[in-house]
Amino acid sequence: MKIIRYQKDKDTQVLAAVLNDATVYPLEYTCLTELTEQAKHKGQTPLSFLKEQIQTIDPADVKLEELSLLVPIEAPEVWASGVTYEKSKEARNYEATDGKLDASTFYDKVYDADRPEIFLKSTAARTVGPNTDVYLRSDSNWQIPEPELGLVINKEGDILAYTIGNDMSCRDIEGENPLYLPQAKIWKQSCAIGPALLLAEAVEDAYKLEIICKIYRNNELVVEGKANTSQLKRKYDELVSFLLRDNEIFDGTVLLTGTCIVPPNEFTLMDGDLVEIEIPEIGVLSNPVKAPATKPVALH
Ligand code: DO4
Ligand code: MG
């Protein structure tokens, strides 16, 4: 069972449970955290509460594939972990040294350090859901999607659910100088999450999730990569605990856990591309790529 949000009509957004056979059960709650709070109040786990709830309601007369899906959680903030997979460490080293790596970098250090790299990735207004455009920056020539598992947490740091995230990134900006990280990571519509939430308790082993990324150009598959969360260097609780240190976070925050798939070094996203990120247990997060409508700024 998964949880989605969809636009029913102009003014109505619906939180719904979706069964494996794609039956959609509209729920009376507005968001996952409200549902988990209710479950706690009743002394139940979110999954058993949800199972009980859907016994009492009729499925919606809708087809899942025809719904206008929204972000499954309106995360007030999306945070992200970096260099948590060897693949990411190698790619960061390549872009920081123009491919001429001959010494250990701070990326090697952070990969091995006790303290993980954690940065603010996005806010609710900058985050898009499934089938909505992710934007390119006008001042970058080397942009990629970063397919990542996302942890949906409450303000206490409990992992409530898993989702899929796309941490859109500019390799040239970060490669020029790591102090440019916020510009390499945060801009309008540079983060996508969705298409659904999978309750944490419904996942047998969250360190055995396959992640698949496909990028299409003119309907042709131009990049395909596969990885598995078993390759993650860190533990989810460890990442959450660093995020919470001396910090106030809010219910429904999403913490992305780092990328394990990097397109070939010569690849950059272009206007019109389509990015698909799949975790079979969660679904496919699909986003068209759009160049900004604003006048491009001069590139260096
Ligand atoms: O060091 C920069 C960020 C790397 C990142 O976003 C990732 O590894 O996913
Ligand atoms: Mg990332």
Side-chain angles (χ1 to χ4, degrees), residues 181-203:
L181 189 74
Q183 294 173 77
K185 292 291 188 177
I186 308 173
W187 64 94
K188 184 176 176 178
Q189 297 188 204
S190 66
C191 178
I193 56 170
L197 306 177
L198 187 60
L199 286 175
E201 64 178 301
V203 181

Side-chain angles (χ1 to χ4, degrees), residues 80-85 88-89 92 95 107 110 117 119 146 148 167 169 174 181 185 257-260:
S81 326
V83 199
T84 50
Y85 287 88
S88 177
K89 183 183 72 165
R92 305 292 79 83
E95 70 214 18
Y107 294 113
V110 82
E117 178 195 3
F119 57 93
E146 289 195 344
E148 307 193 11
D167 168 23
S169 300
E174 181 178 343
L181 189 74
K185 292 291 188 177
T257 53
T259 191
C260 47

Side-chain angles (χ1 to χ4, degrees), residues 84-85 87 145-151 162-167 194 205-214 223-232 236 256-262 275-285:
T84 50
Y85 287 88
K87 189 82 191 161
E146 289 195 344
E148 307 193 11
L149 176 73
L151 314 175
Y162 299 98
T163 191
I164 303 173
N166 177 357
D167 168 23
D205 187 348
Y207 296 97
K208 278 196 187 141
L209 299 174
E210 192 179 29
I211 306 186
I212 304 151
C213 180
K214 292 181 184 165
V223 173
E224 181 169 19
K226 275 191 191 149
N228 195 287
T229 55
S230 60
Q231 297 159 325
L232 182 68
Y236 302 127
L256 303 180
T257 53
T259 191
C260 47
I261 300 172
V262 181
V275 178
E276 283 186 1
I277 306 172
E278 178 175 7
I279 296 182
E281 292 82 348
I282 300 175
V284 181
L285 173 62

